[in-house]
PDB file of all heavy atoms in Angstrom:
ATOM      1  N   HIS A   1     -10.034  -8.637  -5.281  1.00 96.00           N
ATOM      2  CA  HIS A   1      -9.255  -7.444  -5.574  1.00 96.00           C
ATOM      3  C   HIS A   1      -7.737  -7.717  -5.429  1.00 96.00           C
ATOM      4  O   HIS A   1      -7.061  -7.098  -4.614  1.00 96.00           O
ATOM      5  CB  HIS A   1      -9.641  -6.267  -4.596  1.00 96.00           C
ATOM      6  CG  HIS A   1     -11.069  -5.894  -4.658  1.00 96.00           C
ATOM      7  ND1 HIS A   1     -11.587  -5.034  -5.598  1.00 96.00           N
ATOM      8  CD2 HIS A   1     -12.129  -6.253  -3.841  1.00 96.00           C
ATOM      9  CE1 HIS A   1     -12.898  -4.878  -5.385  1.00 96.00           C
ATOM     10  NE2 HIS A   1     -13.206  -5.592  -4.336  1.00 96.00           N
ATOM     11  N   PRO A   2      -7.237  -8.589  -6.285  1.00 96.00           N
ATOM     12  CA  PRO A   2      -5.816  -8.986  -6.114  1.00 96.00           C
ATOM     13  C   PRO A   2      -4.853  -7.819  -6.362  1.00 96.00           C
ATOM     14  O   PRO A   2      -3.864  -7.689  -5.658  1.00 96.00           O
ATOM     15  CB  PRO A   2      -5.642 -10.088  -7.155  1.00 96.00           C
ATOM     16  CG  PRO A   2      -6.706  -9.856  -8.179  1.00 96.00           C
ATOM     17  CD  PRO A   2      -7.845  -9.314  -7.424  1.00 96.00           C
ATOM     18  N   GLU A   3      -5.137  -6.999  -7.357  1.00 96.00           N
ATOM     19  CA  GLU A   3      -4.213  -5.884  -7.639  1.00 96.00           C
ATOM     20  C   GLU A   3      -4.269  -4.834  -6.545  1.00 96.00           C
ATOM     21  O   GLU A   3      -3.248  -4.183  -6.222  1.00 96.00           O
ATOM     22  CB  GLU A   3      -4.489  -5.309  -9.017  1.00 96.00           C
ATOM     23  CG  GLU A   3      -4.230  -6.226 -10.170  1.00 96.00           C
ATOM     24  CD  GLU A   3      -2.781  -6.674 -10.174  1.00 96.00           C
ATOM     25  OE1 GLU A   3      -1.889  -5.909  -9.825  1.00 96.00           O
ATOM     26  OE2 GLU A   3      -2.527  -7.861 -10.622  1.00 96.00           O
ATOM     27  N   LEU A   4      -5.411  -4.601  -6.026  1.00 96.00           N
ATOM     28  CA  LEU A   4      -5.580  -3.657  -4.904  1.00 96.00           C
ATOM     29  C   LEU A   4      -4.758  -4.132  -3.690  1.00 96.00           C
ATOM     30  O   LEU A   4      -4.065  -3.376  -3.024  1.00 96.00           O
ATOM     31  CB  LEU A   4      -7.030  -3.439  -4.525  1.00 96.00           C
ATOM     32  CG  LEU A   4      -7.334  -2.583  -3.310  1.00 96.00           C
ATOM     33  CD1 LEU A   4      -6.879  -1.173  -3.539  1.00 96.00           C
ATOM     34  CD2 LEU A   4      -8.788  -2.607  -2.933  1.00 96.00           C
ATOM     35  N   TYR A   5      -4.847  -5.456  -3.478  1.00 94.00           N
ATOM     36  CA  TYR A   5      -4.102  -6.055  -2.347  1.00 94.00           C
ATOM     37  C   TYR A   5      -2.614  -5.837  -2.570  1.00 94.00           C
ATOM     38  O   TYR A   5      -1.897  -5.403  -1.632  1.00 94.00           O
ATOM     39  CB  TYR A   5      -4.425  -7.540  -2.272  1.00 94.00           C
ATOM     40  CG  TYR A   5      -3.562  -8.271  -1.236  1.00 94.00           C
ATOM     41  CD1 TYR A   5      -3.881  -8.286   0.103  1.00 94.00           C
ATOM     42  CD2 TYR A   5      -2.459  -9.012  -1.614  1.00 94.00           C
ATOM     43  CE1 TYR A   5      -3.146  -8.927   1.017  1.00 94.00           C
ATOM     44  CE2 TYR A   5      -1.683  -9.714  -0.748  1.00 94.00           C
ATOM     45  CZ  TYR A   5      -2.021  -9.635   0.634  1.00 94.00           C
ATOM     46  OH  TYR A   5      -1.232 -10.331   1.529  1.00 94.00           O
ATOM     47  N   ARG A   6      -2.129  -6.093  -3.780  1.00 94.00           N
ATOM     48  CA  ARG A   6      -0.675  -5.889  -4.060  1.00 94.00           C
ATOM     49  C   ARG A   6      -0.253  -4.462  -3.996  1.00 94.00           C
ATOM     50  O   ARG A   6       0.806  -4.141  -3.516  1.00 94.00           O
ATOM     51  CB  ARG A   6      -0.378  -6.485  -5.480  1.00 94.00           C
ATOM     52  CG  ARG A   6      -0.584  -7.976  -5.560  1.00 94.00           C
ATOM     53  CD  ARG A   6      -0.146  -8.523  -6.915  1.00 94.00           C
ATOM     54  NE  ARG A   6      -0.384  -9.991  -7.045  1.00 94.00           N
ATOM     55  CZ  ARG A   6      -1.339 -10.569  -7.675  1.00 94.00           C
ATOM     56  NH1 ARG A   6      -2.248  -9.829  -8.359  1.00 94.00           N
ATOM     57  NH2 ARG A   6      -1.453 -11.886  -7.722  1.00 94.00           N
ATOM     58  N   PHE A   7      -1.165  -3.567  -4.462  1.00 94.00           N
ATOM     59  CA  PHE A   7      -0.924  -2.124  -4.405  1.00 94.00           C
ATOM     60  C   PHE A   7      -0.661  -1.699  -2.959  1.00 94.00           C
ATOM     61  O   PHE A   7       0.257  -0.959  -2.667  1.00 94.00           O
ATOM     62  CB  PHE A   7      -2.094  -1.385  -5.010  1.00 94.00           C
ATOM     63  CG  PHE A   7      -2.056   0.107  -4.911  1.00 94.00           C
ATOM     64  CD1 PHE A   7      -1.424   0.873  -5.900  1.00 94.00           C
ATOM     65  CD2 PHE A   7      -2.599   0.796  -3.829  1.00 94.00           C
ATOM     66  CE1 PHE A   7      -1.354   2.241  -5.810  1.00 94.00           C
ATOM     67  CE2 PHE A   7      -2.506   2.140  -3.711  1.00 94.00           C
ATOM     68  CZ  PHE A   7      -1.902   2.895  -4.731  1.00 94.00           C
ATOM     69  N   VAL A   8      -1.528  -2.148  -2.032  1.00 92.00           N
ATOM     70  CA  VAL A   8      -1.413  -1.712  -0.636  1.00 92.00           C
ATOM     71  C   VAL A   8      -0.230  -2.393   0.035  1.00 92.00           C
ATOM     72  O   VAL A   8       0.544  -1.731   0.720  1.00 92.00           O
ATOM     73  CB  VAL A   8      -2.702  -2.058   0.093  1.00 92.00           C
ATOM     74  CG1 VAL A   8      -2.545  -1.740   1.564  1.00 92.00           C
ATOM     75  CG2 VAL A   8      -3.889  -1.244  -0.510  1.00 92.00           C
ATOM     76  N   VAL A   9      -0.057  -3.697  -0.190  1.00 90.00           N
ATOM     77  CA  VAL A   9       1.006  -4.420   0.535  1.00 90.00           C
ATOM     78  C   VAL A   9       2.419  -4.059   0.108  1.00 90.00           C
ATOM     79  O   VAL A   9       3.317  -3.908   0.858  1.00 90.00           O
ATOM     80  CB  VAL A   9       0.754  -5.936   0.409  1.00 90.00           C
ATOM     81  CG1 VAL A   9       1.915  -6.736   0.934  1.00 90.00           C
ATOM     82  CG2 VAL A   9      -0.508  -6.356   1.165  1.00 90.00           C
ATOM     83  N   ARG A  10       2.574  -3.895  -1.247  1.00 86.00           N
ATOM     84  CA  ARG A  10       3.942  -3.597  -1.801  1.00 86.00           C
ATOM     85  C   ARG A  10       4.387  -2.171  -1.556  1.00 86.00           C
ATOM     86  O   ARG A  10       5.574  -1.888  -1.555  1.00 86.00           O
ATOM     87  CB  ARG A  10       3.952  -3.925  -3.277  1.00 86.00           C
ATOM     88  CG  ARG A  10       3.782  -5.430  -3.526  1.00 86.00           C
ATOM     89  CD  ARG A  10       3.691  -5.704  -5.012  1.00 86.00           C
ATOM     90  NE  ARG A  10       3.531  -7.181  -5.288  1.00 86.00           N
ATOM     91  CZ  ARG A  10       3.298  -7.637  -6.487  1.00 86.00           C
ATOM     92  NH1 ARG A  10       3.220  -6.864  -7.551  1.00 86.00           N
ATOM     93  NH2 ARG A  10       3.127  -8.942  -6.609  1.00 86.00           N
ATOM     94  N   ARG A  11       3.480  -1.223  -1.421  1.00 85.00           N
ATOM     95  CA  ARG A  11       3.806   0.168  -1.091  1.00 85.00           C
ATOM     96  C   ARG A  11       4.695   0.869  -2.122  1.00 85.00           C
ATOM     97  O   ARG A  11       5.347   1.855  -1.804  1.00 85.00           O
ATOM     98  CB  ARG A  11       4.534   0.212   0.273  1.00 85.00           C
ATOM     99  CG  ARG A  11       3.749  -0.298   1.445  1.00 85.00           C
ATOM    100  CD  ARG A  11       4.594  -0.114   2.763  1.00 85.00           C
ATOM    101  NE  ARG A  11       3.887  -0.564   3.914  1.00 85.00           N
ATOM    102  CZ  ARG A  11       3.934  -1.819   4.354  1.00 85.00           C
ATOM    103  NH1 ARG A  11       4.699  -2.723   3.765  1.00 85.00           N
ATOM    104  NH2 ARG A  11       3.301  -2.174   5.468  1.00 85.00           N
ATOM    105  N   THR A  12       4.740   0.362  -3.316  1.00 85.00           N
ATOM    106  CA  THR A  12       5.606   0.984  -4.315  1.00 85.00           C
ATOM    107  C   THR A  12       5.090   2.320  -4.868  1.00 85.00           C
ATOM    108  O   THR A  12       5.838   3.106  -5.369  1.00 85.00           O
ATOM    109  CB  THR A  12       5.782   0.036  -5.510  1.00 85.00           C
ATOM    110  OG1 THR A  12       4.525  -0.345  -6.044  1.00 85.00           O
ATOM    111  CG2 THR A  12       6.547  -1.272  -5.127  1.00 85.00           C
ATOM    112  N   PHE A  13       3.805   2.565  -4.675  1.00 86.00           N
ATOM    113  CA  PHE A  13       3.188   3.746  -5.155  1.00 86.00           C
ATOM    114  C   PHE A  13       3.576   4.986  -4.324  1.00 86.00           C
ATOM    115  O   PHE A  13       3.744   6.084  -4.814  1.00 86.00           O
ATOM    116  CB  PHE A  13       1.654   3.637  -5.186  1.00 86.00           C
ATOM    117  CG  PHE A  13       0.915   4.801  -5.771  1.00 86.00           C
ATOM    118  CD1 PHE A  13       0.763   4.951  -7.159  1.00 86.00           C
ATOM    119  CD2 PHE A  13       0.361   5.772  -4.957  1.00 86.00           C
ATOM    120  CE1 PHE A  13       0.089   6.018  -7.690  1.00 86.00           C
ATOM    121  CE2 PHE A  13      -0.344   6.857  -5.516  1.00 86.00           C
ATOM    122  CZ  PHE A  13      -0.476   6.979  -6.869  1.00 86.00           C
ATOM    123  N   ALA A  14       3.655   4.807  -3.010  1.00 81.00           N
ATOM    124  CA  ALA A  14       3.974   5.887  -2.107  1.00 81.00           C
ATOM    125  C   ALA A  14       5.330   6.418  -2.358  1.00 81.00           C
ATOM    126  O   ALA A  14       6.320   5.711  -2.535  1.00 81.00           O
ATOM    127  CB  ALA A  14       3.841   5.428  -0.646  1.00 81.00           C
ATOM    128  N   ASP A  15       5.506   7.768  -2.424  1.00 77.00           N
ATOM    129  CA  ASP A  15       6.772   8.390  -2.769  1.00 77.00           C
ATOM    130  C   ASP A  15       7.503   8.927  -1.537  1.00 77.00           C
ATOM    131  O   ASP A  15       8.523   9.574  -1.655  1.00 77.00           O
ATOM    132  CB  ASP A  15       6.559   9.508  -3.793  1.00 77.00           C
ATOM    133  CG  ASP A  15       5.521  10.522  -3.371  1.00 77.00           C
ATOM    134  OD1 ASP A  15       4.975  10.364  -2.242  1.00 77.00           O
ATOM    135  OD2 ASP A  15       5.231  11.445  -4.140  1.00 77.00           O
ATOM    136  N   ARG A  16       6.976   8.677  -0.350  1.00 79.00           N
ATOM    137  CA  ARG A  16       7.637   9.051   0.903  1.00 79.00           C
ATOM    138  C   ARG A  16       7.008   8.267   2.033  1.00 79.00           C
ATOM    139  O   ARG A  16       5.982   7.601   1.827  1.00 79.00           O
ATOM    140  CB  ARG A  16       7.460  10.586   1.146  1.00 79.00           C
ATOM    141  CG  ARG A  16       6.046  11.005   1.395  1.00 79.00           C
ATOM    142  CD  ARG A  16       5.954  12.474   1.832  1.00 79.00           C
ATOM    143  NE  ARG A  16       4.574  12.890   2.052  1.00 79.00           N
ATOM    144  CZ  ARG A  16       3.901  12.664   3.173  1.00 79.00           C
ATOM    145  NH1 ARG A  16       4.428  11.957   4.171  1.00 79.00           N
ATOM    146  NH2 ARG A  16       2.675  13.053   3.300  1.00 79.00           N
ATOM    147  N   PRO A  17       7.599   8.231   3.240  1.00 78.00           N
ATOM    148  CA  PRO A  17       7.001   7.536   4.369  1.00 78.00           C
ATOM    149  C   PRO A  17       5.584   8.049   4.588  1.00 78.00           C
ATOM    150  O   PRO A  17       5.321   9.219   4.497  1.00 78.00           O
ATOM    151  CB  PRO A  17       7.937   7.925   5.510  1.00 78.00           C
ATOM    152  CG  PRO A  17       9.272   8.232   4.892  1.00 78.00           C
ATOM    153  CD  PRO A  17       8.944   8.882   3.570  1.00 78.00           C
ATOM    154  N   VAL A  18       4.699   7.055   4.848  1.00 78.00           N
ATOM    155  CA  VAL A  18       3.302   7.391   4.980  1.00 78.00           C
ATOM    156  C   VAL A  18       2.974   7.768   6.433  1.00 78.00           C
ATOM    157  O   VAL A  18       3.635   7.360   7.381  1.00 78.00           O
ATOM    158  CB  VAL A  18       2.418   6.238   4.565  1.00 78.00           C
ATOM    159  CG1 VAL A  18       2.584   5.962   3.060  1.00 78.00           C
ATOM    160  CG2 VAL A  18       2.689   4.978   5.385  1.00 78.00           C
ATOM    161  N   ARG A  19       1.891   8.594   6.637  1.00 75.00           N
ATOM    162  CA  ARG A  19       1.491   9.023   7.945  1.00 75.00           C
ATOM    163  C   ARG A  19       0.901   7.897   8.758  1.00 75.00           C
ATOM    164  O   ARG A  19       0.916   7.890   9.983  1.00 75.00           O
ATOM    165  CB  ARG A  19       0.497  10.213   7.819  1.00 75.00           C
ATOM    166  CG  ARG A  19      -0.771   9.885   7.010  1.00 75.00           C
ATOM    167  CD  ARG A  19      -1.688  11.029   6.960  1.00 75.00           C
ATOM    168  NE  ARG A  19      -2.785  10.874   5.939  1.00 75.00           N
ATOM    169  CZ  ARG A  19      -3.832  10.153   6.124  1.00 75.00           C
ATOM    170  NH1 ARG A  19      -4.028   9.499   7.301  1.00 75.00           N
ATOM    171  NH2 ARG A  19      -4.750  10.015   5.194  1.00 75.00           N
ATOM    172  N   SER A  20       0.303   6.889   8.081  1.00 77.00           N
ATOM    173  CA  SER A  20      -0.217   5.720   8.755  1.00 77.00           C
ATOM    174  C   SER A  20      -0.136   4.546   7.760  1.00 77.00           C
ATOM    175  O   SER A  20      -0.365   4.728   6.553  1.00 77.00           O
ATOM    176  CB  SER A  20      -1.648   5.938   9.220  1.00 77.00           C
ATOM    177  OG  SER A  20      -2.504   6.168   8.114  1.00 77.00           O
ATOM    178  N   ASP A  21       0.220   3.412   8.312  1.00 84.00           N
ATOM    179  CA  ASP A  21       0.432   2.220   7.451  1.00 84.00           C
ATOM    180  C   ASP A  21      -0.882   1.436   7.316  1.00 84.00           C
ATOM    181  O   ASP A  21      -1.339   0.839   8.316  1.00 84.00           O
ATOM    182  CB  ASP A  21       1.525   1.341   8.055  1.00 84.00           C
ATOM    183  CG  ASP A  21       1.789   0.118   7.203  1.00 84.00           C
ATOM    184  OD1 ASP A  21       1.193  -0.030   6.161  1.00 84.00           O
ATOM    185  OD2 ASP A  21       2.597  -0.702   7.640  1.00 84.00           O
ATOM    186  N   PRO A  22      -1.502   1.404   6.169  1.00 86.00           N
ATOM    187  CA  PRO A  22      -2.783   0.664   6.001  1.00 86.00           C
ATOM    188  C   PRO A  22      -2.657  -0.770   6.338  1.00 86.00           C
ATOM    189  O   PRO A  22      -3.602  -1.392   6.835  1.00 86.00           O
ATOM    190  CB  PRO A  22      -3.178   0.926   4.515  1.00 86.00           C
ATOM    191  CG  PRO A  22      -2.363   2.087   4.088  1.00 86.00           C
ATOM    192  CD  PRO A  22      -1.118   2.072   4.900  1.00 86.00           C
ATOM    193  N   VAL A  23      -1.520  -1.407   6.022  1.00 86.00           N
ATOM    194  CA  VAL A  23      -1.388  -2.808   6.266  1.00 86.00           C
ATOM    195  C   VAL A  23      -1.415  -3.131   7.791  1.00 86.00           C
ATOM    196  O   VAL A  23      -2.108  -4.030   8.260  1.00 86.00           O
ATOM    197  CB  VAL A  23      -0.105  -3.378   5.618  1.00 86.00           C
ATOM    198  CG1 VAL A  23       0.085  -4.885   5.980  1.00 86.00           C
ATOM    199  CG2 VAL A  23      -0.069  -3.156   4.146  1.00 86.00           C
ATOM    200  N   THR A  24      -0.646  -2.334   8.539  1.00 87.00           N
ATOM    201  CA  THR A  24      -0.624  -2.491   9.954  1.00 87.00           C
ATOM    202  C   THR A  24      -1.986  -2.180  10.602  1.00 87.00           C
ATOM    203  O   THR A  24      -2.460  -2.898  11.485  1.00 87.00           O
ATOM    204  CB  THR A  24       0.456  -1.565  10.576  1.00 87.00           C
ATOM    205  OG1 THR A  24       1.706  -1.846  10.029  1.00 87.00           O
ATOM    206  CG2 THR A  24       0.465  -1.670  12.106  1.00 87.00           C
ATOM    207  N   ALA A  25      -2.618  -1.151  10.047  1.00 85.00           N
ATOM    208  CA  ALA A  25      -3.955  -0.769  10.607  1.00 85.00           C
ATOM    209  C   ALA A  25      -4.923  -1.885  10.358  1.00 85.00           C
ATOM    210  O   ALA A  25      -5.740  -2.257  11.203  1.00 85.00           O
ATOM    211  CB  ALA A  25      -4.429   0.487   9.938  1.00 85.00           C
TER     212      ALA A  25
END
């Protein structure tokens, strides 16, 4: 799932600070 990995790690989709960071979790 390379694109899913990039989607999550790069965080460009999120339009505001997130309530919890999936990468850190």
